[in-house]
């Protein structure tokens, strides 16, 4: 996934990608390592300046392109993908930081950048100078760094501590008397690294930037570092996949080996999360400093901090060839190491993000002045429903308010607001924008419980799309009103995720079908009124061809439900036995062999629904542990774990926001649900493992429903539900990445 979303951003990214292809090139870069380390500008710098690619985010009034930080991030990302050498990244960061100050010193720096002079920023984390008042200016001394880009920079923004305690941001000119940059041997062979020495330099007060916020400056720098990191890991995915498709061993492409498919799929997932985290940090520049800090912390952890590890993952799939000097991968690897060093300690970022009292990331998508008539109609319907009450326990889960039935839910169902995305008359055929409006209006009324379809959320769309008029009439309205409970009868003891291997038989008889077999892992079967059943209708057909999709009355004679008690002690799942169960012809959805396509549609709905539980609070146990006090070392470790979990959760949420914005722009759904499913499963496992580890001796005591032990014992139900991670990795590898099947 590239960062660009809008058509304009796609065009800017394309222009940068084309420029990198024409003027960069790894052969050229390899020929000038010494010059780059010394800070000399690459030969293409003038052409890049002529196109304004270094200043897309700077105001038009000073000669910039008038874009935003996201446009600059698109440029930086493509430069990272192409490993463009030189000072582009540091110059873009310096421009972004200077643009936060409206004063004359900042305008001078921005004017120099637009004109083609190079720049860099040294953040306080890399060291701070000392400043003493001297007449109408300041006498500045000290040493800072090392930092990237300072050897080749014409202007350097650096902070200095005054004797009064004031922090000054000074725009140094590297040609000024008393300013010296000492080159260092760079890890990243495509950029310079240097230490700044300032010896009693006299700085006029006019060269001091008064409006720079140190936290915002750091967040802007991290945002751009993360954008470049996203480009690097995307390059790794593209090149690994291309290699796996052509490299052969044992007479077939190595991309058909499941182990490599899963590794490639995981690298793709990590690249999607890195891009989402980087994009979120960039867009947060228009929000409060506090929100920007949260987003930048997530990007520092997910996109930049993990980057060296992700490049090594790519290297292992290339094998020994990826470890050679001749292969380009080591150049990306070294840049990854340098970026991770520049962003700062991942532990520090995680500790900040893991403060249990810290605010959460705001992922609200604002829909302003869009479809006011639709919003008014929704608001009126919700207000009418709020005057009513639900008085009957729900069929699927009697204990949960979102399943309760009664006049309020009926009113919402009749208004199409229980499942507004469904086609009329059952829903509103709501567009993505309309669904966001409905979300906002429900959120304005926290006292109004939003109904849930539960398992029917996966089944009802299939019935509406492929069922008969009679089936739609019989099931749609009662299901929406919550008067019918459903279960899904797919998995079998010998056919879990591999539904093509199911053995439950449906034999044709006069007026219907006789079903014999066994299903397993069926949630809510003990309370369900109806079930969606897959059964083999043609035993002689190919595995996927001879399957039917039936709607089964769970009170039919011959059906026996036996609860399965899980390791947690609860009975969430069931075995269901069918012994000559008669299912009328009228309860077959579509044709007798259409079951496989209907099952795929149902499972797609299921995976999206299960992946959406990232919206729920999955960190509560870690959060309570982080806030309980105790030894400093242990509290620090808990906060670090909580911060890393929050960073991952925020990346998934950012991915979902991007997917929503894509749909609002009229594009189809992307791979966000598949990525989110796997990434969420990883978070759930991480949280339960960390909570157990930090619980210490308390984990020997069971019984508490909210204990780390209780959460851990429930974890497999969440991780396995909707298909195992391994099945999802197979789907990503073959259907998204296009790797050859086994």
């Amino acid at each position: 996934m590239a960062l660009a979303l809008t058509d304009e951003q796609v065009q800017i990214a394309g222009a940068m990608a084309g420029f990198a292809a024409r003027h960069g090139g790894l052969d050229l870069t390899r020929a000038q390592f010494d010059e780059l380390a010394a800070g000399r500008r690459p030969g293409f710098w003038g052409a890049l300046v002529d196109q304004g690619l270094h200043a897309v985010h700077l105001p038009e009034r000073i000669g910039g392109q008038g874009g935003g930080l996201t446009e600059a991030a698109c440029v930086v990302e493509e430069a990272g993908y192409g490993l463009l050498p030189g000072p582009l990244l540091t110059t873009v960061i310096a421009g972004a930081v200077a643009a936060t100050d409206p004063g004359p010193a900042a305008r001078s720096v921005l004017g120099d950048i637009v004109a083609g002079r190079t720049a860099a920023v040294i953040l306080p984390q890399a060291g701070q100078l000392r400043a003493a008042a001297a007449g109408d200016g300041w006498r500045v001394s000290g040493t800072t760094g090392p930092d990237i880009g300072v050897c080749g920079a014409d202007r350097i923004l650096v902070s200095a501590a005054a004797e009064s305690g004031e922090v000054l941001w000074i725009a140094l000119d590297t040609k000024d008397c008393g300013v010296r940059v000492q080159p260092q041997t760079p890890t990243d062979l495509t950029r310079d690294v240097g230490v700044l020495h300032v010896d009693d330099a006299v700085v006029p007060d006019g060269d001091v930037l008064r409006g720079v916020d140190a936290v915002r400056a750091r967040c802007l720098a991290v945002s751009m570092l993360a954008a470049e990191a996203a480009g690097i890991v995307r390059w790794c995915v593209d090149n690994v996949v291309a290699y796996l498709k052509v490299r052969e061993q044992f007479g077939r492409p190595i991309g058909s080996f499941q182990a490599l498919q899963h590794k490639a799929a995981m690298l793709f997932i990590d690249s999607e999360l890195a891009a989402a985290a980087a994009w979120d940090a960039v867009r947060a520049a228009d929000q409060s400093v506090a929100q920007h800090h949260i987003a930048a912390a997530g990007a520092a952890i997910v996109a930049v901090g993990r980057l060296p590890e992700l490049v090594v993952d790519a290297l292992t799939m290339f094998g020994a060839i990826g470890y050679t000097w001749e292969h380009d991968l080591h150049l990306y690897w070294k840049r990854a190491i340098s970026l991770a060093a520049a962003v700062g300690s991942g532990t520090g970022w995680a500790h900040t993000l893991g403060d249990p009292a810290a605010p959460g990331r705001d992922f609200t998508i604002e829909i302003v002045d869009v479809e006011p008539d639709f919003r008014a109609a929704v608001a009126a319907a919700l207000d009418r429903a709020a005057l009513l009450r639900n008085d009957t326990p729900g069929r699927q889960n009697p204990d949960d308010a979102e399943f309760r039935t009664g006049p309020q839910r009926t009113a919402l169902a009749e208004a199409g607001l229980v499942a507004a995305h469904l086609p009329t008359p059952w829903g509103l055929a709501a567009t993505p924008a309309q669904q966001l409006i409905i979300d906002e209006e429900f959120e304005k009324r926290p006292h109004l419980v939003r109904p849930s379809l539960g398992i029917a959320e996966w089944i009802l769309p299939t019935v509406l799309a492929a069922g008969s008029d009679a089936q739609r009439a019989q099931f749609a309205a009662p299901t929406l009103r919550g008067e019918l409970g459903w279960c899904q009868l797919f998995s079998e003891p010998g056919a879990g995720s591999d539904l093509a291997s199911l053995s439950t038989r449906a034999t044709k008889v006069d007026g219907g079908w006789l079903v014999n077999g066994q299903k397993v892992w069926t949630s809510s079967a003990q309370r369900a009124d109806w079930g969606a059943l897959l059964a083999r209708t043609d035993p002689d057909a190919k595995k996927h061809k001879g399957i039917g999709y039936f709607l089964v009355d769970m009170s039919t004679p011959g059906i026996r439900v036996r609860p399965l008690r899980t390791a947690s002690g609860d009975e969430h799942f069931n075995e269901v036995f069918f012994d000559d169960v008669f299912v009328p012809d009228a309860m077959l959805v579509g044709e007798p062999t259409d079951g496989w396509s209907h099952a795929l549609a149902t499972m797609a709905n299921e995976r999206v629904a299960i992946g959406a539980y990232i919206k729920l609070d999955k960190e509560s146990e870690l959060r309570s542990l982080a806030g309980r006090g105790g030894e400093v070392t242990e509290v620090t470790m808990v906060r670090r774990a909580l911060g890393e979990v929050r960073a991952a959760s925020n990346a998934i949420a950012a991915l979902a926001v991007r997917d929503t914005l894509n749909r609002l722009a009229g594009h189809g759904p992307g791979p966000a649900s598949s990525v989110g499913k796997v990434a969420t499963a990883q978070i759930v496992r991480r949280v339960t493992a960390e909570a157990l580890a930090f619980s210490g001796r308390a984990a020997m005591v069971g019984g508490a429903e909210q204990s780390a032990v209780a959460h851990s014992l429930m974890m497999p139900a969440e991780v396995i539900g909707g298909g195992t991670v391994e099945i999802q990795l197979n789907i990503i590898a073959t259907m998204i990445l296009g790797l050859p099947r086994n």
Side-chain angles (χ1 to χ4, degrees):
M1 172 179 66
L3 298 188
L5 272 180
T6 68
D7 291 340
E8 183 179 6
Q9 290 166 5
V10 170
Q11 291 172 0
I12 290 172
M16 185 66 236
F19 183 92
R22 293 190 304 273
H23 297 284
L26 295 172
D27 289 340
L28 177 61
T29 298
R30 288 170 182 269
Q32 52 184 341
F33 284 153
D34 292 340
E35 290 83 355
L36 293 170
R40 297 190 183 94
R41 299 177 189 174
F44 61 74
W45 184 252
L48 186 143
V49 170
D50 289 342
Q51 292 193 31
L53 291 169
H54 70 308
V56 296
H57 57 315
L58 301 185
E60 289 183 290
R61 66 178 182 274
I62 63 168
Q65 301 300 305
L69 199 68
T70 303
E71 284 70 29
C74 293
V75 169
V76 168
E77 179 196 22
E78 292 299 335
Y81 186 98
L83 205 75
L84 199 71
L88 175 62
L89 173 66
T90 55
T91 300
V92 168
I93 292 173
V97 172
T100 64
D101 187 309
R107 288 197 297 272
S108 172
V109 173
L110 294 176
D112 284 350
I113 289 175
V114 168
R117 298 190 76 191
T118 56
V121 176
I122 299 179
L123 296 169
Q125 288 73 25
Q128 205 164 48
L129 303 177
R130 301 179 304 279
D136 294 333
W138 302 86
R139 194 169 294 279
V140 181
S141 297
T143 299
T144 65
D147 222 324
I148 60 174
V150 295
C151 296
D154 297 312
R155 303 296 301 271
I156 299 177
L157 300 182
V158 63
S159 64
E163 295 172 339
S164 63
E166 180 185 8
V167 175
L168 309 175
W169 283 85
I170 298 170
L172 293 175
D173 192 308
T174 52
K175 294 180 180 178
D176 287 345
C177 181
V179 178
R180 178 174 61 91
V181 176
Q182 179 182 1
Q184 306 290 302
T185 301
T187 297
D188 176 3
L189 302 181
T190 68
R191 288 197 181 113
D192 66 86
V193 172
V195 174
L196 174 67
H197 299 277
V198 182
D199 185 15
D200 231 16
V202 177
V203 177
D205 199 58
D207 287 342
V208 176
L209 285 71
R210 299 289 182 181
V212 174
D213 179 273
V215 175
R216 178 74 82 181
R218 190 183 189 196
C219 292
L220 289 169
V222 170
S223 301
M224 290 297 104
L225 293 168
E228 183 167 275
I232 290 174
V233 70
R234 180 162 58 87
W235 179 91
C236 289
V237 171
D238 289 349
N239 284 270
V240 160
V241 169
Y243 181 76
L244 295 181
K245 288 179 179 179
V246 299
R247 177 75 167 94
E248 291 191 356
Q249 284 188 354
F250 309 110
R252 58 192 178 115
I254 62 175
S256 64
F257 301 160
Q258 190 175 70
L260 288 173
Q261 287 186 348
H262 286 188
K263 289 190 69 172
M266 282 304 310
L267 183 63
F268 171 76
I269 290 168
D270 288 329
S271 75
E272 293 287 288
L273 296 176
W279 172 81
D280 187 48
V282 170
R283 79 184 186 107
D286 294 329
Q287 300 173 350
S288 68
V289 173
Q291 282 293 307
H292 199 186
H293 197 204
I294 296 169
I301 295 168
V302 174
V304 190
R306 292 201 61 214
L307 184 60
E309 176 187 348
L310 299 181
V311 178
V312 171
D313 287 343
L315 186 153
T316 61
M317 284 182 274
F318 277 110
I321 189 67
Y323 190 49
T324 61
W325 182 266
E326 288 74 18
H327 199 282
D328 298 330
L329 187 67
H330 77 91
L331 298 178
Y332 286 90
W333 187 12
K334 290 167 182 172
R335 181 173 284 193
I337 293 170
S338 183
L339 290 178
V343 86
S345 166
T347 299
W349 285 109
H351 191 265
T352 298
L353 197 58
D355 182 351
R361 182 76 180 99
D362 182 5
F363 287 104
T364 302
I365 300 175
E366 295 185 2
I367 304 294
V368 181
D369 299 329
V370 173
E371 301 199 45
D373 293 341
F374 179 83
R375 183 184 291 275
V378 169
L382 294 182
D383 287 338
R384 288 192 297 271
L387 299 175
L388 306 173
R389 293 291 180 268
N390 291 325
D391 48 22
T392 304
R395 296 293 300 151
Q396 179 168 316
N397 193 332
D399 298 326
D400 291 344
E402 61 264 33
F403 292 109
R404 293 183 69 84
T405 63
Q408 184 182 91
R409 177 162 182 150
T410 296
L412 292 173
E414 291 175 350
L417 293 171
V418 171
H421 61 286
L422 295 178
T424 56
W426 308 285
L428 299 175
T431 65
Q434 290 173 335
Q435 291 177 50
L436 286 175
I437 290 171
I438 294 169
D439 290 344
E440 289 180 1
E441 293 302 317
F442 265 107
E443 288 172 1
K444 291 177 183 178
R445 298 162 176 81
H447 57 285
L448 180 61
V449 176
R450 190 169 189 174
S452 173
L453 286 174
I455 294 172
E457 185 175 343
W458 319 335
I459 298 170
L460 185 57
T462 302
V463 175
L464 297 180
S468 65
D469 290 340
Q471 289 168 350
R472 286 188 282 268
Q474 178 176 352
F475 296 114
T479 299
L480 290 167
R481 291 194 299 263
E483 297 165 358
L484 294 180
W486 287 84
C487 65
Q488 181 176 286
L489 300 157
F490 283 13
S491 295
E492 298 182 1
S497 298
D498 182 15
L499 295 178
S501 298
L502 59 84
S503 60
T504 295
R505 295 285 186 90
T507 304
K508 189 69 182 77
V509 297
D510 187 26
W513 303 77
L514 280 183
V515 177
N516 287 275
Q518 178 186 355
K519 297 294 179 177
V520 74
W521 309 122
T522 307
S523 301
S524 301
Q526 72 274 38
R527 292 186 295 270
D529 301 294
W530 288 83
L533 167 73
L534 288 184
R536 188 163 297 285
T537 54
D538 184 354
D540 297 324
K542 291 183 178 180
K543 285 187 173 183
H544 298 86
K545 301 294 185 182
I547 297 173
Y549 190 107
F550 298 90
L551 306 178
V552 179
D553 184 341
M554 293 299 289
S555 65
T556 305
I559 295 179
R560 180 167 59 91
V561 177
R562 186 174 77 88
L564 283 173
R565 195 176 188 191
T566 64
S568 66
D570 298 307
E571 296 177 348
H572 295 285
F573 306 108
N574 303 272
E575 290 180 292
V576 183
F577 300 89
F578 295 84
D579 184 10
D580 279 344
V581 175
F582 179 75
V583 181
D585 282 328
M587 292 298 104
L588 173 66
V589 178
E591 297 299 319
T593 57
D594 287 350
W596 179 252
S597 60
H598 300 334
L600 291 179
T602 301
M603 287 187 294
N605 294 325
E606 179 183 5
R607 289 189 178 109
V608 171
I610 290 178
Y613 65 50
I614 191 61
K615 298 176 183 178
L616 303 177
D617 185 3
K618 294 294 175 183
E619 64 178 43
S620 59
E621 189 65 24
L622 272 182
R623 189 170 58 249
S624 65
L625 288 169
R628 73 180 180 182
E631 295 184 7
V632 174
T633 301
E634 182 172 306
V635 171
T636 299
M637 292 172 64
V638 176
R639 283 185 59 170
R640 175 181 179 178
L642 178 59
E644 290 173 350
V645 166
R646 284 178 170 172
S649 299
N650 288 347
I652 298 172
L655 189 69
V657 171
R658 279 182 57 93
D659 187 61
T660 300
L661 293 175
N662 252 327
R663 297 192 191 204
L664 289 173
H667 304 297
S673 62
S674 294
V675 172
K677 161 66 179 169
V678 176
T680 300
Q682 290 180 312
I683 288 176
V684 171
R685 290 202 61 175
R686 169 79 186 271
V687 168
T688 55
E690 297 281 13
L692 279 177
F694 292 124
S695 293
R697 301 180 68 82
M700 292 189 291
V701 180
E705 292 183 358
Q706 299 304 316
S707 71
V709 174
H711 282 271
S712 180
L713 293 176
M714 283 298 298
M715 176 267 295
E718 298 183 77
V719 171
I720 297 173
T724 64
V725 166
E726 289 73 22
I727 293 297
Q728 198 63 40
L729 293 177
N730 289 344
I731 293 171
I732 292 171
T734 57
M735 299 184 67
I736 296 176
L737 299 182
L739 292 175
R741 297 179 182 273
N742 284 324

